[in-house]
Amino acid sequence: AYGAGLEDKKGVLGKSPGVLLVPEASPVPFAIYQFTSMVEGVSSYRVSGETHGRISMSKDGWLYLEEPLEWSPGKTHELTIEALSDDDDVLDGPYTVVLHVVDINNNPPVFDQSQYSGSLREHTPAGIPFVRVFATDSDDADTPNAQLRYSIDSQIPNPAESLYFTINSETGDISTTEEGAAFLKARTGVVYSRGEIRGSTEVLKRKFDEFCFPRNNVSLEENPFFTCVQHAESRQLNAIQDPDYTLIVRVEDLGGGAPNALSSTTRVNIVITQNFWVSPGPISIKENLKAEYPMLIATVRSNDPSALYRLVQKEKVIPFPFTISDHGEIHVTGPLDREQKDMYILVVIAENEEQVELDVPMEIPILVEDENDNMPQCLEAESVLEVQENEVVGSLVGELQVHDADQENTLNSLLDFTLLSQSPAVPSAAMFSVDQARGTIQVANHNFRRSEVPEYRLRIAVSDRVHRTECDVIIKIIDLNNEVPIFERNDYGRYSVPELAELGTTLLRVNATDADDPGTGSSRVEYHITAGDPNGVFAIEPLDYEVQSIYELQIDARNPEPLIQGVEYDARSTAVAVIELVDVDEPPVFNVDILNINVPENLTVGTAILTVDAKDPEGQKIMFKLEGDDHGWLEVDADSGELRTKAALDRELAEHLTVRVIVYETEGQNQAMEKEVSIHLTDVNDNFPKLQQSKGFICVKKPEPLLLTAEDADGPPFGEPFTFTLPTAHKSPNWEIAPVDGTSAKLSLKKKPSRDHTYMIPINVKDSAGMGVTQKIEVRVCNCTELGYCYVEPQSHAWKYGTSTTIGILGGVVGFIILFLIFVIYRTKKKDKKRKQTSLADGEASVMLPHHT
């Protein structure tokens, strides 16, 4: 049941599996699956379709095989199943079911040949395939049933119990093992030349007559030796009839190694053939060989008798003194010189007339053997060595440098050294010795005296037993420090010097001499003040009368080279001198050399920032004053030297201040000294970022953002980058602001207003320390001209009125003028009436007065 029980092979028709698996070659009858219909009245079932007369169905719904099915690639059986009534009416269905035949491993693999043959040349490297076996399997190629694996069952003969051959388990390629490549040998056969046919009777007869002696009267056909050779040659041409080795090769399915795998075997007959293409090297040739040239040095032979030969230089060396004939004979064309080149690599190529290579190119090393044809050479015309006066016997002086161009580590380059002469021969003729094998020179006697003999000359013979040369050696005697320096006098007396004398002032000169060899470290004199100068003032400081007024100096003379054993410095190498200082009035001095201070710019006015410390060497009263304060920010206390602020500092105005503090004597010669004070003002966050514009406009038709820029006079960390925000509790519906860089941001209009309007927008700008204020910018949102300027249409100007308004205003003005004229006329008439009444009263009075004549 292909791994399933009967209960697993039952189901409802229409809900059952649509694909059923059936093993091929199953024994019949074979139950496949039982279908049950859920429709009432079903009494039987029917199957139709691709049954091929082998698939049937029982009345109770069992689908079964009457005959076994065969597997083939892609083969399936499509069936139709119906449930029937008693009258064969279809009550349920039809339903389609696909029957898939599953392959079983019932076909063993089969080789495509009953036996194979192959030939292998001796000396063939391991791993190179020379024959392949191949098998096929009729089972499903997509299953392990057809997965094949090759192996060698046995090798005949196998006297060493070691396989000489191996097979690729997947491809069937057969090659030699490392043991096979080393031990496989061919049967000895006849060597054929170009144009000769292997196994030809005529060729064999000719070769038999050439190489078999003595000849006799027996015909070749009756000669057992000839017939044996003929049989052997013909046998080598047929590997199946007379193989050297036979392999039993097995192929298994299921990937090999499975206990139920199917397998087949075949024979592989192998003949080992001679490999004539073997390098005869390395070949040694003596240099400078006297012979008849060209001289035969080797012969090579291709496995193809028709081959042509040529030489190629592996190294491009000119000249190339080798040739090769068409028959593989290699000649050297002239004497060789090992010192010019000690080895050649010949590359021999065997090819046919179309220059197609018949064998793998062969390399032949040619070694040039050394001959003692070079004379030892002194590397220097005169070798110069040194030895000290007190050098002990046996001490190494040096080694004579000699070279022989013949081959190293051979008798041809083995040298002997012999001391021939020594000049001068005092105090002995054998002051030195030479090692015969190494050429090293040693001290053989003592008591060298440079004053008597400053140098020796040696002549040394060098021989390689065939050639001889002579070398010159100069040995210089090095003077020893056996004399002490001696002062010309030991007491130089008293000397006076002002205490303010400049550094480097020469007070006196002392001199000592040494009797050792001039120009050497033994005779050079160095002077040292060893007593009387505890403060080292004569080397590094000015003189100070107030500290010490008299110096009693002790001066020692010494050599840089150590004295030899037994010689000591004595009183002759020591001198004394007395230096008296003359007191002078010195200016005040500061107690520090450099005055650099850092001061915060927000320092409170009146704060002391530094006290300048100074004193007068003679103890006179001193005072202080300040110069160079261009900003008037500082003052100095004249008595104490305290430097303090007298005004507010501002780093934004000046970051560095350099002032001079002067200290001066109030008595005596009124000498003074000054000192520069460098003051660096450190920044504090006393400035906030300020917007660089207070107005701007945005065009309604093309609302480009308005760029805002701010500046802050403070430096890091109180300056940029700035943050720009709209100081609103909630997000602004009309405006938004976004940063551009550390000093600017862009203000954008979010929606178009209903009319032109001017806005006052608060912007909060803060520096990197969080300090800032809210600043307002006036932004006019308006229509714009082509050039980007705001304009206002006439009817929309707030200060220009319409026609009706203008008429009303003019009417009011005219009415006011009329009322003003009426008022003026009325006042004028009233004044005229009053004037008339006054005139009438005057007239009446005039009439009533008496008339006098």
Side-chain angles (χ1 to χ4, degrees):
Y2 200 64
L6 290 180
E7 293 302 322
D8 298 326
K9 302 172 68 175
K10 296 180 180 181
V12 178
L13 184 64
K15 297 182 180 180
S16 303
V19 178
L20 298 175
L21 304 180
V22 178
E24 69 167 331
S26 300
V28 292
F30 178 78
I32 301 173
Y33 200 86
Q34 184 182 25
F35 296 93
T36 303
S37 176
M38 304 303 294
V39 178
E40 294 183 359
V42 173
S43 61
S44 64
Y45 297 85
R46 181 171 59 195
V47 61
S48 60
E50 299 175 349
T51 63
H52 302 293
R54 300 182 178 186
I55 305 172
S56 300
M57 200 163 190
S58 64
K59 293 185 65 176
D60 58 353
W62 274 101
L63 185 68
Y64 66 95
L65 293 178
E66 292 187 89
E67 295 182 21
L69 297 179
E70 297 177 355
W71 173 88
S72 61
K75 180 62 177 176
T76 59
H77 298 264
E78 188 172 323
L79 308 176
T80 300
I81 298 177
E82 300 169 311
L84 307 177
S85 66
D86 291 335
D87 300 328
D88 290 338
D89 295 331
V90 177
L91 299 180
D92 193 5
Y95 296 101
T96 300
V97 174
V98 177
L99 207 63
H100 178 68
V101 181
V102 179
D103 178 50
I104 63 173
N105 190 21
N106 59 348
N107 293 290
V110 177
F111 284 101
D112 63 346
Q113 298 181 30
S114 59
Q115 58 181 329
Y116 298 81
S117 62
S119 63
L120 175 69
R121 293 195 184 277
E122 58 184 350
H123 310 303
T124 300
I128 298 179
F130 63 92
V131 66
R132 170 184 285 186
V133 298
F134 181 73
T136 57
D137 195 307
S138 300
D139 289 320
D140 188 356
D142 295 329
T143 67
N145 298 336
Q147 184 179 352
L148 306 183
R149 186 177 184 86
Y150 301 94
S151 61
I152 296 177
D153 270 8
S154 61
Q155 166 192 302
I156 302 171
N158 189 6
E161 298 297 327
S162 176
L163 287 178
Y164 291 161
F165 305 92
T166 183
I167 189 170
N168 187 307
S169 61
E170 296 180 358
T171 65
D173 287 323
I174 298 176
S175 59
T176 59
T177 61
E178 295 290 344
E179 293 83 356
F183 294 109
L184 287 176
K185 301 297 179 182
R187 304 172 187 173
T188 302
V190 177
V191 178
Y192 295 88
S193 300
R194 189 173 182 217
E196 296 177 340
I197 301 174
R198 178 180 292 276
S200 169
T201 302
E202 295 301 324
V203 174
L204 291 177
K205 287 180 179 180
R206 185 170 60 252
K207 290 184 177 293
F208 195 82
D209 286 337
E210 290 176 358
F211 298 105
C212 294
F213 297 98
R215 294 186 176 90
N216 51 46
N217 295 323
V218 180
S219 64
L220 294 178
E221 289 76 11
E222 297 177 359
N223 190 320
F225 296 101
F226 176 76
T227 55
C228 179
V229 171
Q230 188 179 31
H231 175 68
E233 286 298 298
S234 61
R235 182 178 59 182
Q236 287 198 13
L237 299 178
N238 194 332
I240 296 178
Q241 292 182 2
D242 189 15
D244 292 315
Y245 292 91
T246 298
L247 303 181
I248 306 300
V249 177
R250 180 177 298 279
V251 61
E252 292 181 290
D253 59 16
L254 297 180
N260 57 340
L262 302 178
S263 65
S264 299
T265 60
T266 188
R267 289 187 178 187
V268 180
N269 300 304
I270 302 172
V271 169
I272 308 301
T273 61
Q274 283 184 285
N275 187 0
F276 300 107
W277 191 243
V278 180
S279 173
I283 300 172
S284 296
I285 303 176
K286 200 117 180 140
E287 69 170 328
N288 305 317
L289 182 64
K290 294 180 180 181
E292 185 177 348
Y293 293 96
M295 181 180 70
L296 179 66
I297 58 174
T299 301
V300 295
R301 185 177 299 278
S302 171
N303 292 304
D304 190 329
S306 64
L308 299 174
Y309 304 93
R310 62 186 176 94
L311 286 180
V312 178
Q313 301 182 55
K314 186 171 184 179
E315 299 172 336
K316 299 300 180 182
V317 178
I318 298 176
F320 186 67
F322 301 95
T323 61
I324 190 169
S325 69
D326 290 342
H327 300 289
E329 296 172 341
I330 301 175
H331 295 81
V332 58
T333 59
L336 304 179
D337 185 356
R338 192 200 69 86
E339 285 69 45
Q340 180 180 358
K341 187 168 180 61
D342 59 359
M343 186 177 72
Y344 296 86
I345 301 293
L346 308 185
V347 180
V348 186
I349 296 177
E351 56 193 12
N352 60 19
E353 294 179 351
E354 287 75 29
Q355 294 186 339
V356 176
E357 292 184 0
L358 301 176
D359 291 286
V360 178
M362 176 194 302
E363 291 189 359
I364 304 176
I366 306 294
L367 306 178
V368 183
E369 293 183 0
D370 186 39
E371 182 186 34
N372 194 354
D373 58 343
N374 290 279
M375 178 180 293
Q377 298 291 330
C378 305
L379 296 185
E380 297 180 358
E382 291 183 336
S383 299
V384 179
L385 304 174
E386 293 181 341
V387 63
Q388 291 187 345
E389 286 181 321
N390 66 338
E391 203 70 67
V392 297
V393 174
S395 298
L396 178 65
V397 178
E399 182 177 352
L400 181 62
Q401 299 297 318
V402 181
H403 175 69
D404 193 310
D406 290 318
Q407 186 173 357
E408 293 182 2
N409 301 318
T410 65
L411 292 177
N412 296 335
S413 60
L414 182 62
L415 304 179
D416 287 333
F417 299 85
T418 305
L419 178 59
L420 299 178
S421 64
Q422 168 196 309
S423 176
V426 292
S428 168
M431 298 297 292
F432 303 95
S433 64
V434 176
D435 187 281
Q436 180 182 1
R438 299 178 180 177
T440 54
I441 302 173
Q442 294 175 288
V443 175
N445 211 328
H446 56 82
N447 201 20
F448 293 103
R449 289 292 182 266
R450 175 179 171 81
S451 58
E452 299 176 4
V453 181
E455 67 181 27
Y456 290 88
R457 286 183 173 269
L458 306 183
R459 192 160 186 82
I460 300 175
V462 185
S463 172
D464 62 4
R465 293 178 175 82
V466 174
H467 306 94
R468 168 181 162 143
T469 189
E470 296 181 359
C471 302
D472 292 326
V473 179
I474 298 176
I475 301 178
K476 294 185 176 182
I477 308 303
I478 300 175
D479 183 42
L480 293 177
N481 194 6
N482 55 359
E483 300 288 344
V484 299
I486 301 175
F487 277 103
E488 58 184 359
R489 54 178 172 153
N490 297 105
D491 190 345
Y492 283 86
R494 305 176 74 88
Y495 294 85
S496 298
V497 59
E499 66 171 327
L500 296 181
E502 295 183 359
L503 292 177
T505 300
T506 300
L507 305 181
L508 75 155
R509 292 187 182 274
V510 296
N511 185 45
T513 57
D514 194 300
D516 286 313
D517 188 29
T520 66
S522 300
S523 63
R524 191 169 76 245
V525 179
E526 295 177 349
Y527 301 91
H528 307 275
I529 299 176
T530 57
D533 183 22
N535 299 319
V537 296
F538 288 95
I540 58 173
E541 293 182 3
L543 304 178
D544 191 344
Y545 177 86
E546 284 70 31
V547 174
Q548 185 174 348
S549 60
I550 297 178
Y551 293 86
E552 296 182 356
L553 305 181
Q554 176 179 315
I555 305 169
D556 291 339
R558 296 292 185 264
N559 300 133
E561 292 290 338
L563 297 172
I564 65 172
Q565 187 175 2
V567 178
E568 302 290 341
Y569 293 104
D570 53 29
R572 296 175 299 169
S573 301
T574 300
V576 296
V578 178
I579 308 298
E580 295 181 346
L581 301 186
V582 179
D583 189 23
V584 296
D585 185 12
E586 301 173 71
V589 294
F590 292 92
N591 291 336
V592 292
D593 292 331
I594 301 174
L595 295 177
N596 292 321
I597 57 174
N598 295 326
V599 175
E601 64 172 329
N602 64 342
L603 203 63
T604 304
V605 174
T607 302
I609 62 175
L610 174 69
T611 298
V612 181
D613 189 14
K615 67 178 181 178
D616 186 78
E618 287 76 31
Q620 297 187 33
K621 180 177 176 57
I622 57 173
M623 298 190 71
F624 300 88
K625 61 181 178 179
L626 181 68
E627 292 183 357
D629 182 13
D630 298 333
H631 300 283
W633 291 345
L634 305 172
E635 62 181 2
V636 65
D637 186 281
D639 295 321
S640 65
E642 183 181 74
L643 184 65
R644 54 179 174 262
T645 61
K646 68 176 182 179
L649 307 178
D650 188 353
R651 191 197 67 86
E652 287 69 38
L653 182 60
E655 187 173 354
H656 295 278
L657 301 176
T658 300
V659 297
R660 300 186 307 279
V661 176
I662 300 173
V663 57
Y664 58 94
E665 297 175 346
T666 59
E667 301 172 358
Q669 299 180 9
N670 296 323
Q671 296 198 70
M673 290 290 287
E674 69 176 37
K675 178 72 65 176
E676 278 193 353
V677 180
S678 180
I679 303 172
H680 173 72
L681 299 183
T682 58
D683 191 25
V684 296
N685 200 3
D686 56 348
N687 294 280
F688 59 84
K690 296 179 181 179
L691 287 175
Q692 297 303 295
Q693 60 267 65
S694 60
K695 295 182 179 182
F697 68 90
I698 295 177
C699 294
V700 175
K701 293 182 179 180
K702 190 177 181 181
E704 296 290 339
L706 185 63
L707 184 66
L708 306 179
T709 304
E711 288 186 355
D712 192 325
D714 291 322
F718 307 120
E720 57 184 78
F722 306 141
T723 56
F724 298 78
T725 56
L726 297 170
T728 55
H730 303 286
K731 191 174 183 181
S732 172
N734 299 321
W735 301 92
E736 65 180 1
I737 193 167
V740 175
D741 52 33
T743 59
S744 59
K746 57 182 180 181
L747 180 65
S748 303
L749 182 64
K750 296 172 66 174
K751 62 181 180 178
K752 182 179 179 181
S754 58
R755 60 186 180 85
D756 292 1
H757 192 69
T758 300
Y759 299 87
M760 296 299 293
I761 302 175
I763 305 295
N764 195 345
V765 187
K766 295 182 180 180
D767 59 22
S768 59
M771 179 177 178
V773 297
T774 301
Q775 306 166 56
K776 290 186 177 181
I777 182 170
E778 180 181 317
V779 181
R780 185 175 181 184
V781 181
C782 60
N783 290 318
C784 296
T785 65
E786 293 297 330
L787 298 178
Y789 298 101
C790 290
Y791 74 92
V792 181
E793 297 179 0
Q795 62 269 26
S796 62
H797 282 225
W799 48 271
K800 198 168 185 178
Y801 307 106
T803 305
S804 57
T805 305
T806 304
I807 294 174
I809 293 173
L810 292 175
V813 172
V814 172
F816 176 76
I817 294 174
I818 294 174
L819 289 176
F820 180 73
L821 291 174
I822 294 174
F823 176 75
V824 171
I825 293 172
Y826 172 75
R827 292 290 295 178
T828 303
K829 288 182 178 182
K830 187 174 181 179
K831 288 182 180 179
D832 289 344
K833 184 178 180 180
K834 188 175 181 178
R835 190 182 299 110
K836 289 180 179 180
Q837 290 177 354
T838 304
S839 300
L840 182 58
D842 290 342
E844 290 177 351
S846 173
V847 172
M848 292 180 65
L849 288 174
H851 182 67
H852 296 281
T853 57

